[in-house]
Amino acid sequence: MSDSMTTRTVTVAGHGGDEVPAYLAQPEGAGPRGGVVVIHHMPGYDRATKEIVRRFAEMGYDAICPNLHWREAPGAAPDDASATVRARGGVPDDRLVGDVGGATAYLRGLPTSNGKVGVIGYCSGGRQSVLAACSLDLDAAVDCYGAFVTGTPPADFPLLVTSLVDRLPDLRAPLLGLFGNDDAHPSPDEVDELEKLVQENGKTYEFHRYDDAGHAFFAVDRPAYRVAAANDGWERIAEFYGTHLGN
Amino acid sequence: MCTYTTIAAPVSGSAKGPGGQWFHVTDATVYFDHPVHAMDEHTLNIDLSDPSRGPGQRVALELTAASARELLAAIAAALDAAPDELTA
């Protein structure tokens, strides 16, 4: 397999028909191949997230990341955009679903597509990955340490985040969950609750939990990075997507 | 963890921001969460901004919890040291 790829910014039809910029990376070659929608973390549509998009292209997938903060801050630096969105309460769930749906449709419309699309998100994007898989026709979902999939945010919580417990019966894609045992959100107890709920609802899932790892252990540019957990996590993702997004 | 916790406060004053230009600030956003730049897993973050002038019109601080408390105490001490009639 070649590791050559092409990257560019494209526009997807997001929530409400809005034109949303998205970063696209495509491997060389005609396909057919699966696609991956990357949901960026709360710090935004940043360099680290685009590196993840390119990594999925290197792994053989058409990969795309919509800029979820574009509406509030078109053209702004990722950190400024993130600060603006945070001050306004975060990304609304319905808008997230619409934007991920648009990115999914874009991938399926590519001439290289085999029709299969997975989603992955980190931190706040982990919860949003589960939300997308409860709302959209996806083939695989990966939740990397998303908080408040289970567990209840405080009553005075300032952001528009709610538990997804009531949505889990609608989960319609196999779920891979990757969690650090030193994390507080989601805590190991909250991961236990999520596992219990997906079991009770008869969903296909696979969870991996890592010692000596907390939140954001995949983040190579942050002190939370944990090499062993991240390396194993990437292997689990490769196997999972290979199973569910392959030809 | 992502704490998500975000507290907003109206403020009035000036800050030196992008391009070394002073600007009037109207909003403060305070949150304890992952920093963009500081080498700590979590920091107390403060954005002083004027949203009417766009997302980039912002001065950002990322402080360790201990240093944020030091700053809080220093601000309180400076205000307490000034005559009441000036700080009312």
Side-chain angles (χ1 to χ4, degrees):
Chain A
M1 185 173 66
S2 168
D3 59 3
S4 295
M5 70 178 73
T6 303
T7 65
R8 60 198 165 103
T9 299
V10 299
T11 299
V12 303
H15 180 68
D18 292 345
E19 293 187 345
V20 177
Y23 185 72
L24 175 71
Q26 292 185 274
E28 190 175 60
R33 54 185 173 249
V36 176
V37 178
V38 177
I39 301 175
H40 63 69
H41 55 174
M42 187 175 270
Y45 180 69
D46 58 5
R47 177 180 288 147
T49 301
K50 291 173 184 174
E51 287 179 359
I52 291 170
V53 176
R54 291 192 293 273
R55 182 160 183 160
F56 281 113
E58 187 271 335
M59 292 163 67
Y61 299 99
D62 292 322
I64 195 168
C65 176
N67 182 353
L68 305 173
H69 295 169
W70 168 81
R71 290 177 184 79
E72 287 88 354
D79 59 334
D80 290 338
S82 175
T84 298
V85 171
R86 174 187 283 272
R88 296 186 190 180
V91 175
D93 280 350
D94 57 345
R95 199 177 90 186
L96 177 282
V97 170
D99 288 357
V100 172
T104 302
Y106 185 96
L107 290 178
R108 289 204 172 111
L110 291 171
T112 49
S113 175
N114 67 3
K116 298 176 184 176
V117 173
V119 65
I120 186 168
Y122 303 80
C123 303
S124 57
R127 174 186 172 279
Q128 291 167 328
S129 178
V130 176
L131 172 66
C134 292
S135 312
L136 299 167
D137 180 19
L138 291 159
D139 298 285
V142 183
D143 167 11
C144 300
Y145 35 79
F148 300 122
V149 176
T150 60
T152 305
D156 59 349
F157 208 62
L159 297 188
L160 306 170
V161 175
T162 57
S163 162
L164 298 179
V165 166
D166 293 343
R167 303 294 311 276
L168 289 173
D170 299 327
L171 182 67
R172 62 185 88 165
L175 177 65
L176 172 65
L178 302 170
F179 308 100
N181 286 332
D182 295 340
D183 202 342
H185 288 284
S187 67
D189 286 347
E190 288 169 344
V191 176
D192 287 343
E193 183 186 356
L194 176 58
E195 181 162 22
K196 180 169 174 282
L197 288 168
V198 292
Q199 278 180 352
E200 287 175 355
N201 283 284
K203 306 301 182 184
T204 302
Y205 78 99
E206 177 184 331
F207 283 3
H208 298 275
R209 309 167 188 227
Y210 299 99
D211 290 329
D212 190 34
H215 202 73
F217 62 77
F218 276 109
V220 295
D221 58 347
R222 291 171 184 267
Y225 182 48
R226 293 294 180 272
V227 178
N231 285 354
D232 188 79
W234 274 112
E235 289 182 19
R236 301 285 80 78
I237 292 166
E239 289 177 8
F240 182 73
Y241 278 166
T243 300
H244 297 290
L245 304 182
N247 295 318
Chain B
M1 59 175 281
C2 287
T3 69
Y4 290 95
T5 302
T6 306
I7 299 164
V11 295
S12 181
S14 290
K16 198 169 184 178
Q21 298 298 307
W22 285 90
F23 68 104
H24 180 62
V25 294
T26 59
D27 291 63
T29 308
V30 184
Y31 45 104
F32 190 74
D33 214 326
H34 304 300
V36 172
H37 184 268
M39 281 292 102
D40 300 276
E41 292 199 16
H42 303 89
T43 49
L44 189 284
N45 307 312
I46 304 171
D47 294 323
L48 296 169
S49 64
D50 176 1
S52 71
R53 296 180 62 185
Q57 206 65 25
R58 178 176 75 111
V59 169
L61 284 176
E62 297 175 337
L63 302 171
T64 63
S67 59
R69 290 194 172 95
E70 292 284 345
L71 177 63
L72 198 60
I75 291 171
L79 286 171
D80 289 347
D84 288 346
E85 61 270 26
L86 297 182
T87 57

